Amino acid sequence: MAGFCDHKRDRHVVIIGNGIAGITCARHLRKKDHHARITIISGETPYFFSRTALMYVYMGHMRFEHIKPYEDWFWKKNRFDLVHEWVEKVDFEKKSIVLGNRELAYDILVLATGSKPRMFDYPGMDLKGVQGLYSFQDLQRMEKNTENIQKAVVVGGGLIGIELAEMLKTRKIAVTMLVRENNYWDNVLPEEEARLINRHIREHHVDLRLGVELRSVEADKEGKISAVTTSSGEEIACQFAGIAIGVKPNIDLFRESPLDTGEGILTDACFRTNVENVFAIGDCVEFRDIPGADRKKIEQVWYTARMHGETLAYNLTADKPVKYSPGVWFNSAKFFDIEYQTYGFIPPVHVKGQRSFYWEHREGRMCFRMLYDDRSKAILGINSLGMRWRHAFFDKAIREGWHIDKVMQGLEQANFNPEFFEPYYMEIIEAYNQQYGTAIKTRKRSFLSRLFN
Ligand SMILES: Cc1cc2nc3c(=O)[nH]c(=O)nc-3n(C[C@H](O)[C@H](O)[C@H](O)COP(=O)(O)OP(=O)(O)OC[C@H]3O[C@@H](n4cnc5c(N)ncnc54)[C@H](O)[C@@H]3O)c2cc1C
């Protein structure tokens, strides 16, 4: 594979970042390349952990040890050199990494430095008790900052904002949540879904304020947060403010370097940067071209970082590089007790030429939306709240552009764990029959008939 990367037998591959992107790349590289020396550097923690599970450590459901997917011996067994230090500089000309007062030479460099929380530059953002949640260090700070407090404010109506609210509520801390938009996460969710989640947040006794922004943070005599002031002029007393207004690629280290950067490190579809033998993967990447229909140039979710790592490892060892091809977009999350799954791309507002079928359970804690092309009636996407579906079913339906009647006819197959979950798909089909004048059968088949059909 001339030109893709250095292929010498004893090459030294250095990976900056031991998150899911860096670790997946290292694991797959080791499977295919027995000889390479592989070094993984991270300033955050000595060993890889699951960032998505940090909240469960704070809530007492797990200990930090439980969110490390691999035992500590795993790294030595696979001959990974782990370096627990912050990289201060990369000298791309000399092909070396500056760590304190020593340097580490590389043949191939993989940048997997992740994201960092966005912050406002309003007055008071540097006060004790004001923070974002991204790293293990943030979790430790949050432990200290929320010790024996009564009242917190969470700023931001996205995925990390609602996690922060849930975390604080488990410690019996009263929470006010400031959301700039008219509904929770309404730059992603259509209005019905967003309103359903508004209600659910309030059911959990969070004081949700919509259409309200933060303006400043006030200090007490000791320099700790004492209140926040909002865009409506209100002062809300609190001892903690969690700022969750999104994340951005963590690339400050490379701003004054020969690397081409935009919001993230710019790469092609094979994760190549503009510098020879230097690659980037995970949250810190910005693709020069969108990697597929309905995809974005910057992807900041767990499974995409894993796919980046696996694809790059393949490219570093194969004869011919492959392009990253992630397929149909999907994502899942949890809003307090309500599970969220999405497949394909559902825009938050109506788009000409598209329509959707929407069903909501009478108790208002579950819903199902199927977006489709108005002319061909081909499915474009699914949003679901409060239920669990099989990924493979909707992935195939969207990839193959099934007619919406066909999706409904097969909906029972999409029902996840039918032995344990109520067959809500039957109510969904009934609603569909009523709205679309179809006669799709809703009868629940027996376990045996499902087994043999
Ligand atoms: C609280 C929270 C909850 C989340 N929940 C979900 C979820 O439910 N589902 C989902 O899909 N995604 C979720 N995400 C996003 C997901 O965690 C990220 O997309 C994913 O972790 C990105 O992986 P990564 O390997 O690219 O980067 P990261 O996990 O950020 O790892 C980057 C690593 O680089 C290291 N590093 C950076 N700079 C340096 C330096 N200068 N020197 C040394 N080391 C350095 C850091 O130490 C870090 O270990 C969540 C994120 C957060 C913060």
Side-chain angles (χ1 to χ4, degrees):
M1 193 181 31
F4 188 77
C5 68
D6 188 332
H7 268 280
K8 71 179 178 214
R9 188 178 150 95
D10 59 346
R11 59 190 175 162
H12 185 199
V13 180
V14 174
I15 301 173
I16 307 181
N18 73 353
I20 181 70
I23 291 305
T24 307
C25 182
R27 282 198 309 108
H28 285 270
L29 188 59
R30 174 54 80 224
K31 282 187 201 169
K32 295 182 169 76
D33 184 342
H34 187 71
H35 301 287
R37 180 179 158 210
I38 302 175
T39 302
I40 308 167
I41 310 175
S42 171
E44 189 180 4
T45 49
Y47 300 108
F48 168 54
F49 70 93
S50 171
R51 196 173 299 292
T52 58
L54 275 179
M55 68 182 294
Y56 300 105
V57 176
Y58 183 88
M59 298 198 301
H61 300 185
M62 289 177 172
R63 296 218 191 108
F64 185 72
E65 287 303 298
H66 301 149
I67 67 169
K68 289 196 297 187
Y70 301 95
E71 299 289 343
D72 293 352
W73 51 256
F74 174 84
W75 310 101
K76 202 168 171 193
K77 182 176 168 245
N78 284 285
R79 293 178 293 113
F80 294 123
D81 292 336
L82 300 186
V83 178
H84 181 202
E85 262 178 86
W86 291 106
V87 173
E88 287 163 19
K89 192 178 167 222
V90 178
D91 189 329
F92 291 95
E93 286 214 342
K94 269 172 71 186
K95 292 178 83 177
S96 82
I97 287 161
V98 181
L99 290 160
N101 51 15
R102 70 194 169 96
E103 292 194 18
L104 188 67
Y106 64 82
D107 298 305
I108 290 177
L109 179 62
V110 178
L111 307 172
T113 52
S115 298
K116 63 184 213 174
R118 286 183 192 277
M119 276 288 162
F120 296 113
D121 53 8
Y122 293 142
M125 295 307 292
D126 51 357
L127 291 173
K128 191 165 180 293
V130 183
Q131 67 165 98
L133 175 65
Y134 191 86
S135 63
F136 174 66
Q137 284 74 18
D138 290 337
L139 187 77
Q140 288 180 314
R141 250 180 342 134
M142 190 169 163
E143 278 290 350
K144 285 216 174 85
N145 283 338
T146 57
E147 213 170 32
N148 300 321
I149 69 164
Q150 287 81 46
K151 179 78 212 255
V153 169
V154 171
V155 184
L159 292 174
I160 297 181
I162 202 164
E163 281 193 4
L164 278 170
E166 184 175 354
M167 290 160 76
L168 293 159
K169 289 301 288 182
T170 59
R171 301 269 177 114
K172 310 239 177 308
I173 297 165
V175 178
T176 295
M177 198 167 165
L178 307 184
V179 174
R180 184 183 59 182
E181 290 76 24
N182 294 330
N183 292 297
Y184 172 76
W185 213 27
D186 75 357
N187 53 346
V188 173
L189 296 177
E191 193 173 341
E192 288 86 351
E193 287 90 317
R195 283 173 179 268
L196 191 155
I197 301 299
N198 289 347
R199 291 194 300 270
H200 189 59
I201 292 171
R202 288 182 171 135
E203 273 172 11
H204 279 272
H205 307 287
V206 171
D207 172 20
L208 175 65
R209 308 282 184 92
L210 299 169
V212 179
E213 288 183 57
L214 179 77
R215 280 289 174 261
S216 62
V217 182
E218 321 306 327
D220 65 11
K221 285 187 205 127
E222 289 160 13
K224 281 198 240 149
I225 176 175
S226 62
V228 300
T229 305
T230 72
S231 50
S232 59
E234 188 183 358
E235 192 171 291
I236 304 173
C238 61
Q239 300 89 43
F240 177 80
I243 312 295
I245 53 166
V247 294
K248 57 181 176 182
N250 177 20
I251 61 159
D252 293 349
L253 194 60
F254 312 115
R255 283 282 178 215
E256 306 295 320
S257 78
L259 271 189
D260 277 354
T261 57
E263 207 183 325
I265 301 168
L266 292 169
T267 76
D268 65 8
C270 300
F271 302 100
R272 240 182 316 211
T273 70
N274 62 309
V275 178
E276 209 182 344
N277 288 312
V278 178
F279 303 85
I281 48 174
D283 276 24
C284 65
V285 167
E286 178 178 346
F287 292 107
R288 288 181 192 272
D289 299 306
I290 292 164
D294 295 334
R295 288 274 162 172
K296 298 205 170 102
K297 286 190 172 180
I298 301 181
E299 301 183 313
Q300 289 160 318
V301 285
W302 184 265
Y303 82 89
T304 53
R306 199 179 55 214
M307 286 166 90
H308 293 187
E310 192 172 344
T311 311
L312 178 61
Y314 178 87
N315 285 346
L316 293 178
T317 50
D319 292 335
K320 206 165 166 262
V322 293
K323 287 186 178 171
Y324 170 64
S325 171
V328 174
W329 167 253
F330 69 91
N331 200 7
S332 63
K334 197 171 72 63
F335 307 121
F336 282 95
D337 312 321
I338 295 187
E339 286 192 43
Y340 161 67
Q341 280 174 285
T342 190
Y343 301 98
F345 178 66
I346 303 226
V349 287
H350 176 71
V351 171
K352 205 166 161 240
Q354 298 181 348
R355 285 188 67 184
S356 62
F357 160 70
Y358 180 77
W359 168 88
E360 191 169 304
H361 189 259
R362 58 201 161 277
E363 285 169 13
R365 296 170 109 239
M366 271 179 236
C367 72
F368 177 89
R369 178 185 300 277
M370 177 167 59
L371 186 78
Y372 58 92
D373 181 272
D374 201 12
R375 267 180 53 193
S376 67
K377 307 285 181 277
I379 181 176
L380 298 171
I382 294 287
N383 264 358
S384 162
L385 288 171
M387 290 166 289
R388 209 181 267 188
W389 302 98
R390 285 185 193 281
H391 176 147
F393 178 86
F394 290 120
D395 180 74
K396 189 165 194 277
I398 295 167
R399 216 168 354 99
E400 295 179 358
W402 288 8
H403 189 283
I404 50 175
D405 287 352
K406 182 175 170 185
V407 177
M408 284 292 140
Q409 279 153 3
L411 203 59
E412 185 187 357
Q413 295 159 40
N415 196 21
F416 189 84
N417 273 359
E419 286 73 28
F420 300 107
F421 289 89
E422 289 285 313
Y424 290 109
Y425 71 91
M426 290 166 65
E427 283 190 38
I428 295 171
I429 294 171
E430 270 162 25
Y432 182 87
N433 281 339
Q434 267 179 21
Q435 283 183 39
Y436 290 77
T438 47
I440 296 164
K441 289 205 170 51
T442 59
R443 192 169 50 85
K444 190 183 176 204
R445 287 187 289 148
S446 70
F447 177 70
L448 280 179
S449 80
R450 279 203 306 272
L451 209 62
F452 294 110
N453 285 302

